[in-house]
Amino acid sequence: MVLERSGQPLRLAELPDPEPGPGQVLLSVRACGVCRTDLHILDGELSAPKLPLVPGHQIVATVAGAGEGAERFAIGERVGVPWLGWTDGTCRYCASGRENLCDNAHFTGYDLDGGYAELAVADERFCLPIPAEYPDLQAAPLLCAGLIGYRALRLLGDAERVGFYGFGAAAHILCQVAVHQGRRVFAFTREGDAETQAFARGLGAEWAGASAERPPEELDGAIVFAAAGELMPAALRASAKGARVLSAGIHMSEIPAFPYEILWEERTLGSVANLTRADGEEFLALAPRVPVRTEVSAYPLERAGEALEDLRAGRVRGAAALSILQA
Ligand SMILES: [Zn+2]
Ligand SMILES: [Zn+2]
């Protein structure tokens, strides 16, 4: 499925088979998660550096070939490809353990063709091991929703009362991790979305309500997964002294002005960007121990556009993923 111009629907196309370059593997894609970021690229809120583009950055695949010097994986081995597809390894961020901020990073399904396809190529150094416990579709949302969400959760330190604003793919995974870690989860959804609120409670949230509501207790930390800027001051207003409020999305509408008093007392606002390979390895080792169960709505590849529209409308419970496995 190809994006030719932002603002246009994806188009089903027959492309030449990609050739793995030096250090790359050729991948037979089995499933690919559908992420809010894909929608931002489609809509032009993020302008794709590469067009036409094959989107998709939560790839579950088996290795089908290898380019020159690529020896890490055997043919047939199952791997995951996340958003971080390549870094220079030399900039000040890479040199200080922060490759997620690399000045010259390439991102899967953005600078590089991604997984809304039957075949893909990827740098073998940026592929991740997929835990054997997870079928292909259930593994897909771990690769972005799960692991970028996990990076955000870790940045909340030991916050006990944690708020999640927007209870979609990421929060449904992180809720389980947070409860496993002994935290208390407060879930915020669109107003009147009783079904998602019940879903959150079923995954261990002790309270669920609308995003403008005040939770029964103040939050020690919050992660804003939804792309609505007004949720940042809303989360600050719900927060205790010293709380951290983080946006985990790549794009957000403008944050409205707010009075300093809701930031005072060492509350902080921040953001979480991308992932490091270490984040990926750490989270994928943790997920089966929780164990995280992902709820996935599956779509065939050619219905990727429908999956994205369902995501936009809030019709997806848990995560959406494309099922691409060929017979
Ligand atoms: Zn993503
Ligand atoms: Zn770098």
Side-chain angles (χ1 to χ4, degrees), residues 62 90 193 204 211 243-244 262 267 285 298 321:
T62 50
T90 55
D193 190 351
S211 51
R244 218 166 180 196
I262 66 173
R267 294 173 181 88

Side-chain angles (χ1 to χ4, degrees), residues 152 155-157 159 219-224 231-247 255 258 260-272:
L155 290 178
L156 292 185
L219 306 173
D220 302 308
I223 305 174
V224 178
L231 295 177
M232 298 294 276
L236 277 179
R237 284 194 169 89
S239 291
K241 291 181 274 192
R244 218 166 180 196
V245 173
L246 298 174
S247 164
I255 301 173
F258 56 84
Y260 177 63
E261 67 192 47
I262 66 173
L263 184 63
W264 166 239
E265 292 166 324
E266 299 193 348
R267 294 173 181 88
T268 53
L269 275 184
S271 67
V272 175

Side-chain angles (χ1 to χ4, degrees), residues 29-122:
V29 181
R30 299 167 72 96
C32 186
V34 175
C35 176
R36 182 91 212 176
T37 298
D38 303 334
L39 204 50
H40 294 314
I41 295 169
L42 187 83
D43 290 348
E45 289 159 338
L46 294 175
S47 60
K50 173 189 182 301
L51 287 173
L53 171 73
V54 179
H57 58 269
Q58 305 185 83
I59 306 175
V60 179
T62 50
V63 174
E68 191 192 324
E71 296 172 339
R72 183 176 170 199
F73 300 106
I75 301 294
E77 210 169 320
R78 194 168 68 143
V79 297
V81 183
W83 171 245
L84 187 71
W86 186 86
T87 57
D88 57 19
T90 55
C91 74
R92 60 187 300 162
Y93 298 100
C94 287
S96 57
R98 295 179 291 166
E99 66 179 0
N100 60 306
L101 301 177
C102 176
D103 282 332
N104 297 300
H106 294 169
F107 298 107
T108 311
Y110 190 53
D111 307 273
L112 308 165
D113 279 334
Y116 286 21
E118 291 160 308
L119 293 172
V121 293

